[in-house]
Amino acid sequence: MKKTIIFFCSAIFLASCVSSRKYNETNARLQNCVSDKTSLEKQNQDLTVKLTEQKASFDQLTGKFDDLQKKHDASLAELENTRRNNDRIHAVNKELENQLEILKSGSSKEISSLMEKLQANQEDIQKREDQLRRAEAELQNKNQRLSELQQALDQKDAAVQQLKQKVIAALTGFNNNGLSVTERNGKVYVSMDEKLLFKTAQWVVDEKGKQALKNLSELLAINPEINILIEGHTDNVPMRGSGEVKDNWDLSVMRATAVTKILLENKSIDPSRISASGRSEFVPVAIGETSDDRQKNRRTEIILTPRLDEIFKLLESN
């Protein structure tokens, strides 16, 4: 009897161990699924933001192009209306000429009246023909400007893509190592993580970061048509300093300024091309509260924009 009791107790203990192990394995798989879901949601948010920005830029250019197309269509309609009026006047003039031939044998008074009408119609025809020529010239000019604008837009897009590839090549060795290069809204964004440039809560650029900035400055020096905007970004953890840097606003400004000064060590870069600003914590790329999210938000962005002077001139002329 004692052996039987021992046997049943052992069986119950083993069954309990197996159930506990299955529960732990199931719970671990559940935690992995939750983590994967959170990561996918974050990726989806990032892609949604990028898609919204690209759509806004595309809609803006499409709107301007549509306005020009509407003006072009209106000119075509006006030209067609002028042509129809001209045809009608020619028909009336022809009829008057026929009547004049018939009435040549009539009174001089009637002939004189018809001649006056004929002269008036001929003058009107001449006026309308002049208007038609001016309308055709204006339409041709608008078509030329439309073509030039489309060509300028295509060149701008090609220039941005080419610039992006040049930046990636100049920063080989730093890409995916605290640095990323992206293109959106017709601009190239060089994003540098805090760990590449600065120690925590500091604004003196590390040697590794200086080398990356030096490589970038050499590219910018030989491409003077590129405007440069440097933005400092922090996370949302309050900084309470007591010296010249008292909070996240001060820190973001000091970091942007530090990067600017290193780029300007290259004397071939005109300082008027560069703008520096601090954005503090208010333009995050990650909206979570994890340490990884905060690390992503602690960054410096160098925003490169090809000058669009020719495109703006074309838009203003229309």
Side-chain angles (χ1 to χ4, degrees):
M1 181 68 178
K2 183 177 181 180
K3 291 182 179 180
T4 303
I5 292 173
I6 292 172
F7 174 79
F8 279 108
C9 288
S10 299
I12 292 171
F13 176 75
L14 290 174
S16 175
C17 291
V18 171
S19 298
S20 176
R21 185 170 61 254
K22 288 183 177 180
Y23 170 80
N24 290 335
E25 290 174 350
T26 302
N27 187 56
R29 287 195 297 271
L30 175 60
Q31 293 300 320
N32 289 337
C33 289
V34 170
S35 176
D36 291 343
K37 177 177 177 293
T38 301
S39 177
L40 289 172
E41 289 176 344
K42 176 59 180 61
Q43 292 177 15
N44 184 63
Q45 290 174 349
D46 290 345
L47 290 173
T48 300
V49 169
K50 291 180 179 178
L51 178 60
T52 301
E53 291 175 343
Q54 291 177 352
K55 185 178 184 301
S57 177
F58 177 81
D59 289 345
Q60 183 180 11
L61 291 176
T62 300
K64 292 178 180 178
F65 188 84
D66 288 344
D67 288 341
L68 293 175
Q69 190 64 53
K70 287 177 182 177
K71 292 179 181 179
H72 174 261
D73 293 341
S75 296
L76 281 177
E78 182 181 353
L79 178 60
E80 184 60 28
N81 186 52
T82 302
R83 283 175 174 165
R84 285 195 296 268
N85 289 336
N86 195 41
D87 291 341
R88 284 195 294 269
I89 292 172
H90 274 292
V92 171
N93 187 57
K94 184 66 176 177
E95 179 62 24
L96 288 173
E97 288 177 343
N98 291 337
Q99 291 180 23
L100 180 60
E101 290 296 326
I102 294 173
L103 296 174
K104 273 184 179 179
S105 58
S107 67
S108 60
K109 184 177 180 180
E110 291 175 337
I111 293 174
S112 178
S113 176
L114 287 172
M115 288 295 292
E116 289 175 1
K117 290 181 181 180
L118 178 61
Q119 180 65 29
N121 275 282
Q122 286 177 337
E123 290 175 357
D124 192 38
I125 288 172
Q126 184 61 46
K127 255 187 225 182
R128 293 181 180 275
E129 286 180 343
D130 291 342
Q131 290 176 354
L132 181 60
R133 282 193 292 270
R134 287 195 295 271
E136 288 176 337
E138 183 179 352
L139 179 60
Q140 184 176 4
N141 189 36
K142 287 183 177 180
N143 284 336
Q144 178 65 25
R145 288 201 295 271
L146 279 173
S147 177
E148 290 172 355
L149 177 59
Q150 185 61 56
Q151 184 178 3
L153 289 172
D154 293 341
Q155 289 174 349
K156 185 269 296 182
D157 291 339
V160 170
Q161 291 299 322
Q162 186 178 30
L163 175 61
K164 177 184 176 183
Q165 296 306 317
K166 287 181 179 179
V167 172
I168 291 174
L171 296 175
T172 298
F174 296 96
N175 293 321
N176 300 320
N177 188 19
L179 181 147
S180 64
V181 181
T182 58
E183 180 270 326
R184 61 182 185 270
N185 299 333
K187 303 175 183 179
V188 174
Y189 286 72
V190 182
S191 182
M192 296 182 172
D193 292 350
E194 177 189 58
K195 64 183 179 181
L196 176 61
L197 297 176
F198 307 103
K199 293 182 173 61
T200 301
Q202 298 299 310
W203 55 93
V204 177
V205 180
D206 290 342
E207 290 303 317
K208 187 176 181 180
K210 285 182 179 180
Q211 185 57 53
L213 293 173
K214 179 181 178 182
N215 292 356
L216 183 59
S217 72
E218 291 174 356
L219 172 64
L220 297 176
I222 60 176
N223 289 274
E225 74 284 359
I226 304 301
N227 288 326
I228 308 160
L229 171 61
I230 300 171
E231 291 185 346
H233 298 266
T234 68
D235 59 23
N236 61 356
V237 178
M239 178 181 180
R240 308 189 188 281
S242 58
E244 59 181 327
V245 175
K246 297 180 178 59
D247 53 26
N248 282 336
W249 277 113
D250 289 342
L251 181 60
S252 64
V253 170
M254 292 296 287
R255 286 182 168 181
T257 303
V259 170
T260 299
K261 289 179 178 179
I262 290 176
L263 290 177
L264 288 177
E265 289 177 1
N266 189 322
K267 301 303 180 183
S268 297
I269 297 179
D270 183 353
S272 66
R273 296 168 54 196
I274 299 185
S275 300
S277 66
R279 306 302 298 274
S280 188
E281 65 196 67
F282 299 105
V283 190
V285 293
I287 59 175
E289 295 294 332
T290 66
S291 59
D292 185 56
D293 291 331
R294 292 193 177 102
Q295 178 182 340
K296 291 177 181 178
N297 291 330
R298 296 192 300 270
R299 69 199 190 280
T300 300
E301 290 187 337
I302 302 175
I303 305 170
L304 308 178
T305 309
R307 291 180 180 169
L308 305 177
D309 299 347
E310 293 303 319
I311 292 179
F312 291 144
K313 287 179 183 177
L314 287 170
L315 289 174
E316 290 171 359
S317 66
N318 286 280

